[in-house]
Structures are given as C-alpha cells and as structure tokens.
C-alpha cells in the first residue's frame, strides 16, 4: 500500500527516466560515420588470429583422430 502512496510523487521522475532511456536507445541505434565503425586489423592481429584458428583446427584434428583410432566405446566408461 505504501508503494501506491509514493506513486503520485515519483511518477514524474519515473516518466523522465523512461524518456531518457528511450532517447539513449535511439541515439545508440543511429548509424554513425563508416570510418568510426570500420576497424582496420593490423598485420600482428591477423597473424595472431590465424595462429589461433590453426591451433584450434589442429586440436580438433588430433581429437578426431584419437577418437577414431580408439573408438567411441572406450570413452563410454567415463560418461
């Protein structure tokens, strides 16, 4: 019941807060200049990404080969 008594006092403040939140969302969603959004990757970043992908693929191939050679029934006891 105390919330209902406070509602008339806080209603203008709540409406202003909602209005500010909506303005923030609209401002964030507006498209900006393409130069700010576009990111140029450096050679070091590209090399690091390639290394990460290569390690992930190598791990996947190693695990696939291991499972293929050992058979999937070997791992059933650990499930």
């Amino acid at each position: 019941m105390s919330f209902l008594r406070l509602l008339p006092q806080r209603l203008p403040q709540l409406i202003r807060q909602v209005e500010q939140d909506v303005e923030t969302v609209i401002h964030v969603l507006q498209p900006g200049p393409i130069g700010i959004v576009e990111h140029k990757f450096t050679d070091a970043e590209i090399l690091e990404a390639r290394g990460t992908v290569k390690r992930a693929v190598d791990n996947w191939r190693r695990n696939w080969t291991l499972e293929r050679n050992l058979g999937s029934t070997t791992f059933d006891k650990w499930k």
Side-chain angles (χ1 to χ4, degrees):
M1 191 70 163
S2 62
F3 173 74
L4 293 177
R5 280 186 276 163
L6 290 176
L7 188 61
Q9 297 168 1
R10 294 202 30 135
L11 191 60
Q13 182 182 4
L14 291 172
I15 291 173
R16 275 194 299 274
Q17 183 62 46
V18 169
E19 184 180 30
Q20 289 174 353
D21 292 345
V22 169
E23 287 177 357
T24 301
V25 169
I26 290 171
H27 179 70
V28 167
L29 293 178
Q30 289 178 345
I34 189 100
I36 295 173
V37 176
E38 186 177 338
H39 175 71
K40 302 285 186 186
F41 291 98
T42 64
D43 291 340
E45 289 173 318
I46 293 171
L47 288 174
E48 182 182 350
R50 283 183 183 161
T52 301
V53 170
K54 183 177 179 345
R55 282 190 305 278
V57 170
D58 290 345
N59 286 337
W60 176 81
R61 284 184 177 151
R62 192 176 316 113
N63 289 334
W64 177 79
T65 302
L66 180 65
E67 288 179 16
R68 184 189 58 177
N69 291 340
L70 294 178
S72 60
T73 58
T74 306
F75 295 107
D76 286 341
K77 64 181 178 184
W78 290 321
K79 288 185 180 179

